[in-house]
Amino acid sequence: MIELMQVSKQYSRGRGVHDVSFRISKGEWVLLVGDSGAGKSTILRMIYGAVRPDSGDLIVASKRLSQVNDNSLPSLRREMGIIDQDLTLVDDRSVYRNVSLVGEVHGWSKKKTKQQSLRVLNRVGLHAHLDQLPTKLSRGELRRLAIARALVAQPFVLIADEPLIHLDTETAGSIIELLEKIHAQGTSILLATHRSELFDGYPVRRLLIEDGEVREES
Amino acid sequence: MSFAGFMVREGWRAWRRSTLAGGLAVASLMILASSLLIFWGLHQSVEIARDSLLGGFEIEAFVTPGRERNLTEVSARLASRDGVASADTVTKEQAAELFAERHGEDLVALLEENPLPASVILSYDPGAITAERLALEASEILADPDIEDVAFEGELLSRFEEVSDRTLLIAGTVGAVIMLISILLTMQSVRIAARTGESWAKAVFLIGGTRGQVGRPLAVSGMISGLLGGGIGVLLVTVTQSLLASSKWVASPDWRAMVVALALPVLVGWLSASGAWKMRN
């Protein structure tokens, strides 16, 4: 489903990833674990095409990324649910309209957009906040909103970069429970986090990333 | 949901989101439209003044003494010259009467003879004569054996042309500088305005939006700034022109100028916004 084959990326400032290879199968829940700057975000960004590798190749949804040009990337991203580190929510759109933006971009009908948006907002527990602006939400609710937006198009994989950052343990636990439900319904999950201890007891596979390389797997 | 609808709706949202920078863009585009119209109006006013001056411009050709009997023939000959609107004859007797009217003295009674020459007064069509052509015209008329001398306000025309040319040059330079500054200001403020929508653009890219779905709404927001700025500028200048319309020196609003003054800010707004966002995937 997702496969990285000896992928390397070097930035001018020196950091990057070196010779990274791993595979994520359908229905897996994988954690990329490591300190800040270890290369977790770079790996995620390469998977959804925001960063191109210097060498090696990736296979995402049966497509070799080296053969996917910039014009075709949007259609590949529509098959994935992506949450980046700063969530990139639109502050002047309500909770509902942040999620329905996906339907507008994907060209869905109004009916389908509404149905899908309400369904997913209900699923993440934000149905009571439809008309609120993101600025009025708590940190945990903002994560839920980002998850809702990532899930509305029913992606095969949910990719999230540090979704638990700045959350207290209780709120982080509720987000992990939500992720578990999503995983239980068949969606693969790939998370980058430096708080892997919070996932103890969950069916996750951990990949330790250090200095841009995969060190261990558990 | 149609792409056009998405483009216009998100363009409008992007414009509303731009707040202060958007307002600055509208203001600078208003200055662009206004300065264009003001320069256009000034140019028209100078043309009106020139036409007015030339419309009443006259050359008086004095008939050689002893050839007064040819006056009608001379008049017809001069009337056929290019640009001549009318040729009025003044006989020796009429000249004496005019002198008496103007100076209160009967010259004939005083001198016992009429020393004043008969003449032909030539009026020219507006635009048919310039200060440069005037000397040539006078020398050609003077070459006629029936004409002894010519008189005209050449200095006035020459000075007017000099002043009007200088005024238009200065106004054109100032206008061009103002327009250039307003275009640069617009580009900068539209760029800042587009940055206020950066999280929206990143969000659209993340959820699978195309470059067009990000870039075109921003271009629409630039066009909205142009439409508003241009519209306000055109309205202000047109209302001012209408209020001053009683003065014969102020040109009436010109619809072609209005269309250009509206289209230029829209174009500048669109181009500025199109280049404002470095497309990222």
Side-chain angles (χ1 to χ4, degrees), chain A residues 32-206:
Chain A
L32 298 182
V33 183
D35 295 332
S36 295
K40 307 185 296 292
S41 298
T42 300
I43 292 172
L44 295 188
R45 289 168 65 78
M46 282 195 292
I47 290 171
Y48 60 82
V51 172
R52 295 278 189 180
D54 296 334
S55 61
D57 205 352
L58 299 92
I59 297 175
V60 179
S62 309
K63 295 182 186 79
R64 276 185 179 271
L65 281 193
S66 58
Q67 292 170 1
V68 176
N69 62 28
D70 287 350
N71 292 333
S72 305
L73 272 176
S75 63
L76 184 65
R77 280 189 198 141
R78 290 178 189 197
E79 295 181 46
M80 299 186 252
I82 304 163
I83 303 168
D84 71 354
Q85 203 164 337
D86 55 8
L87 305 181
T88 55
L89 298 167
V90 188
D91 286 343
D92 64 347
R93 294 176 78 109
S94 67
V95 165
Y96 173 78
R97 292 192 61 80
N98 259 279
V99 176
S100 67
L101 181 63
V102 176
E104 291 171 30
V105 167
H106 290 207
W108 296 346
S109 67
K110 280 186 179 175
K111 188 181 172 189
K112 183 182 176 186
T113 301
K114 189 174 180 182
Q115 276 178 351
Q116 295 283 83
S117 303
L118 292 177
R119 179 189 59 78
V120 77
L121 282 166
N122 195 43
R123 191 171 163 195
V124 301
L126 285 179
H127 50 281
H129 302 275
L130 296 182
D131 297 324
Q132 280 190 348
L133 292 176
T135 48
K136 302 289 179 191
L137 299 180
S138 67
R139 284 178 176 171
E141 287 167 338
L142 287 172
R143 265 50 176 200
R144 287 174 184 273
L145 176 54
I147 291 169
R149 190 183 66 188
L151 289 179
V152 70
Q154 297 177 304
F156 73 89
V157 64
L158 176 66
I159 297 172
D161 194 358
E162 296 285 5
L164 308 181
I165 199 165
H166 305 311
L167 295 183
D168 57 59
T169 309
E170 191 184 336
T171 310
S174 72
I175 296 295
I176 294 170
E177 282 173 21
L178 175 62
L179 292 172
E180 188 190 23
K181 285 180 191 165
I182 293 163
H183 178 243
Q185 287 170 354
T187 307
S188 304
I189 300 177
L190 175 59
L191 297 185
T193 183
H194 62 276
R195 300 176 72 184
S196 72
E197 74 284 358
L198 295 171
F199 293 85
D200 288 347
Y202 290 93
V204 296
R205 177 159 72 103
R206 290 175 170 85

Side-chain angles (χ1 to χ4, degrees), chain B residues 3 7-8 11 14-15 22 25-26 28-29 32 182-183 185-191 193-194 211-212 214-230 261-279:
Chain B
F3 179 58
M7 200 170 75
V8 173
W15 185 81
V26 170
S28 52
L29 287 164
L32 177 66
S182 64
I183 287 172
L185 198 62
T186 301
M187 287 169 69
Q188 206 54 32
S189 50
V190 165
R191 192 162 290 159
R211 291 178 186 205
V214 172
R216 289 190 192 152
L218 291 178
V220 168
S221 76
M223 289 170 78
I224 292 171
S225 293
L227 207 58
L228 278 171
L262 199 57
L264 186 64
V266 171
L267 185 69
V268 170
W270 171 54
L271 291 176
S272 304
S274 296
W277 180 261
K278 191 181 176 187
M279 299 306 165

